[in-house]
Amino acid sequence: EAGVAQSPRYKIIEKRQSVAFWCNPISGHATLYWYQQILGQGPKLLIQFQNNGVVDDSQLPKDRFSAERLKGVDSTLKIQPAKLEDSAVYLCASSLFQGPGGKNIQYFGAGTRLSVL
Amino acid sequence: DQQVKQNSPSLSVQEGRISILNCDYTNSMFDYFLWYKKYPAEGPTFLISISSIKDKNEDGRFTVFLNKSAKHLSLHIVPSQPGDSAVYFCATSNQAGTALIFGKGTTLSVSS
């Protein structure tokens, strides 16, 4: 079974530029998450999708970050304009939602390391 | 404020000995707990989990213990192997399908 695919693996941009990341979840996984991991910290949720609908985007800086999952499969995360503090690893994860009381095991991609200069 | 705390940034253990990684949480509503392992330049990999209705779960060399009254969980690795050297993240959620809340991680180094 193929895992979560992310691209690019690395990206270097200057502040105020825009950047986009792509994620393809595990086949059949309805729930998709984008996390931001700053150096020395644990991953922190940016946005969660259930199929093509947004479940939680309370921690997404909406003035500069946007995400979509139009067909309920792959997803893109965009930053425009980027700031120095956006330097981080952006992780995509997916899970097979099993309903209340079910296991919530999330499977992660390798991530995109973003450096904003 | 951190809802999930891993107070030891690093741990060094000799090969064959036991590794014990600890995690504390603040919200008694959390009902599902997981440990992830992360190697450099890779994404976190699921290791083991436990539901709040249990106090112990084993999978081979890995055992997770949950103490709900103390809001504390721990991961035991016995015996430790050099390949276990990685960053270990504790994570939790309050219902199936919600996003995970992670600790800052503990870097485990197992020397041969």
Side-chain angles (χ1 to χ4, degrees), chain A residues 4 25-26 29 31-33 92-96 105-108:
Chain A
V4 176
I26 293 172
H29 281 194
T31 311
L32 184 148
Y33 312 80
C92 179
S94 70
S95 70
L96 185 64
I105 298 173
Q106 297 180 20
Y107 299 89
F108 285 81

Side-chain angles (χ1 to χ4, degrees), chain B residues 8-13 18-22 75 80 85-86 106-110:
Chain B
S8 297
S10 62
L11 175 67
S12 295
V13 172
I18 184 172
S19 295
I20 300 176
L21 296 96
N22 294 301
L75 174 68
S80 300
S85 298
T106 296
T107 300
L108 174 65
S109 299
V110 181

Side-chain angles (χ1 to χ4, degrees), chain A residues 36-44 85-90, chain B residues 104:
Chain A
Q36 179 193 57
Q37 186 179 13
I38 293 172
L39 188 64
Q41 305 287 321
K44 187 186 82 170
E85 59 260 35
D86 298 332
S87 295
V89 176
Y90 290 85
Chain B
K104 289 187 176 182

